[in-house]
Amino acid sequence: MDLHTRKLRYFLTVADKLNFSRAAEHLKIAQQALSKQIAELEELVGVPLLRRTTRSVELTPAGRIFLESARQALEVLDAGAAAAEREAHGVTGTLHVGFVPGAALELTPAILDEYRGRHPNIALDLREYALEDPSAGLAEGWADVAFVRPPITLAQLDFEPLFTEPVVAAVAKTHPLACRASVRVCELLDGPIAVARSSDPAYRAQWSLSAFRNGAPCRIVDTSSQTEEIGMVAMGIACSVTPAAVVRFLPHTGVAYVPISDLPGSTVGIGRRRDRPNPLADHFVAAARVVRERERSVIEAIEHPFRTGHGPRSTM
C-alpha cells in the first residue's frame, strides 16, 4: 500500500471528531473532498474503516485497530522529522513541567526518560506544586505541560489521559467502616471530611463529594498536604476520599483504606493549555502516549490495585 500521510491525518481527525462536517472545518477543506480522501483510504486498506449514517459516524472494528496503527505511524514520522530538524538546526530549549504530588505514579520515570531520549537537547525544568494548585502551574502560566488529575477549573485545559485508578475512603482503624470490603458514597456524607486547601472550586467539590450532597453543607477539615490529611484520618478527626495510590505511597498503621464502590475513578494525565501552543509540550504528550501503550502491565496494576494480593484495607 502506498499510503500518504495526508490521508492518515484526515482519518485521525474524522476518528477524533466522529463528524465529517466538524472534521472538514477543523482541516479547512471541503466536506466532499474529505469524504473522497477517506473513501480512497478505505479502498487502499481494503476494508471499511468508518460506519456512516445520516445521523452519526462511528469506527468499525477494523477502523479501531487501524486507528491505533495510523496514530503510532504518524507519531513515529513526526518524531523522526523533529529529530532531523533538531540535528540540522540545533533546536534547544527548556520545557517547564509541573506536577502535583504523585505525578503519574509509576509511569512518571518512564515518561521523563522517553522524552529525554527523544529530545536530548531539551532541558526539563520540573516543579512540584501542592494541592492548593491542582493545575500544577498551568493556571499561573509557569508550566508548559503538567501531570494533573481533573477536574480542574481551567477553561483552556487540553488533557491527555494516561490511566484511571479507583478511589478509596481513608478512615481510622477504629472507624465502623474500617472492617468493610467496600463502602458507598452515602455512608461517608454525614461525618467530617478532610480535604486539602485549594482555591480551585472543582477540586474542592470533587474530593468533598459535593455532587452527592444535594446542596447540604459539608463539614470540611482543611489540610495543607495529603500527609497531613492522612494524619487527621488516623487521629479520627475526619475521613478522607483519595486515589487508591495512597495505599502504596502513604501507608499508615492507624488508617484503613476501603474502596468506594459507586464513585468514578480518578484519572491522571498530561495537561497543557490550548491558548499557549508549544511544540515542546506537544512532543512531551507524544512521548507519554508511547509509554502509555508500552507499559500496559504497569497501568493494569495501577487501575486494579486490589487484584495484586493486598486486601483493600491493607496499610502496607
Side-chain angles (χ1 to χ4, degrees), residues 12-26:
L12 259 63
T13 302
V14 175
D16 287 340
K17 306 290 185 183
L18 292 179
N19 183 291
F20 271 84
S21 178
R22 288 198 294 270
E25 181 179 355
H26 178 81

Side-chain angles (χ1 to χ4, degrees), residues 181-261:
S182 66
V183 298
R184 295 176 60 83
V185 170
C186 62
E187 298 176 277
L188 304 170
L189 299 180
D190 291 337
I193 188 164
V195 180
R197 295 182 186 90
S198 174
S199 59
D200 190 320
Y203 174 87
R204 297 276 284 185
Q206 170 85 354
W207 300 107
S208 63
L209 304 174
S210 177
F212 299 87
R213 297 182 182 277
N214 296 318
C218 173
R219 288 182 287 163
I220 292 179
V221 177
D222 285 315
T223 61
S224 59
S225 68
Q226 199 165 38
T227 301
E228 183 183 357
E229 185 177 303
I230 297 304
M232 293 285 189
V233 171
M235 290 186 288
I237 296 172
C239 68
S240 173
V241 177
T242 184
V246 72
V247 180
R248 304 192 300 282
F249 292 101
L250 282 177
H252 195 296
T253 56
V255 176
Y257 297 105
V258 187
I260 303 175
S261 61

Side-chain angles (χ1 to χ4, degrees), residues 78-91 279 283:
D78 290 343
E85 182 181 11
R86 286 197 309 273
E87 180 66 25
H89 301 291
V91 177
H283 297 156

Side-chain angles (χ1 to χ4, degrees), residues 247-248 305-314 316:
V247 180
R248 304 192 300 282
F306 304 125
R307 292 181 183 174
T308 63
H310 295 294
R313 294 176 299 281
S314 171
M316 299 183 64

Side-chain angles (χ1 to χ4, degrees), residues 121-143:
N121 296 326
I122 304 301
L124 291 180
D125 187 1
L126 306 176
R127 181 183 296 181
E128 182 176 14
Y129 281 78
L131 293 176
E132 283 89 341
D133 179 12
S135 79
L138 292 173
E140 71 177 23
W142 180 86

